[in-house]
Amino acid sequence: MERVTSIKKAPDDQIADTKVVKKTRTRTDGIAIRKLETSAFARTGLVNRRLQYGILTNATYQGLFGATAKELKKRKGLKARDSLRNSLDDVSLAAISLSELITAKKAATVETFAELQKLTLLQAQRIREAIL
């Protein structure tokens, strides 16, 4: 039997760390789901300003984590421009994605921005209750 005396390095074009691969895949999937949600919001005709998307994102965060993006970043020691989602664990990212996916599917059922905000918050709260 041959004895291995050195560790083989992965080629430069491969990622050797499976945790990095998993995190990258989770984030990529999350971005795709986020785009589905924002597209669904836009199709309602109720969301047309960047600020409104932020309000709806905060409704998701408040429903799931009890805090806004700004508050969560402060808790994690992140700067205002840092990506909150890049600092979250897999369960948190999955919860956000599930909440956004469900909200996207139901967005067409509302008639006002206030109802859309309420729907977003409610879906996130339901996900939080389900995973606690």
Side-chain angles (χ1 to χ4, degrees):
M1 209 192 245
E2 187 176 314
R3 189 174 205 195
V4 177
T5 57
S6 65
I7 298 174
K8 291 183 180 180
K9 286 180 73 178
D12 290 337
D13 64 340
Q14 292 181 348
I15 300 174
D17 188 343
T18 57
K19 288 183 181 180
V20 173
V21 172
K22 183 179 177 188
K23 183 75 169 184
T24 301
R25 186 174 299 130
T26 300
R27 282 295 289 127
T28 303
D29 291 348
I31 290 166
I33 291 170
R34 172 70 177 160
K35 286 183 181 184
L36 284 173
E37 184 189 46
T38 57
S39 294
F41 289 161
R43 282 192 305 276
T44 67
L46 303 172
V47 182
N48 53 23
R49 294 190 325 239
R50 189 174 184 161
L51 175 65
Q52 291 174 306
Y53 289 104
I55 290 168
L56 295 170
T57 299
N58 275 329
T60 298
Y61 292 156
Q62 288 169 325
L64 289 171
F65 310 116
T68 64
K70 184 177 181 178
E71 294 164 341
L72 291 167
K73 285 181 180 185
K74 185 175 180 180
R75 285 184 200 168
K76 292 185 162 289
L78 300 173
K79 296 176 184 171
R81 294 258 181 217
D82 290 343
S83 170
L84 175 61
R85 293 184 192 208
N86 283 344
S87 73
L88 296 175
D89 63 32
D90 290 345
V91 173
S92 296
L93 291 171
I96 291 169
S97 290
L98 183 56
S99 181
E100 289 176 339
L101 188 59
I102 293 169
T103 300
K105 291 189 178 285
K106 294 183 177 185
T109 66
V110 300
E111 296 179 10
T112 67
F113 181 79
E115 289 175 359
L116 188 56
Q117 185 178 3
K118 185 177 178 180
L119 170 70
T120 304
L121 177 67
L122 180 62
Q123 294 312 309
Q125 288 171 334
R126 288 179 176 163
I127 299 302
R128 180 181 180 165
E129 290 171 10
I131 62 176
L132 287 180

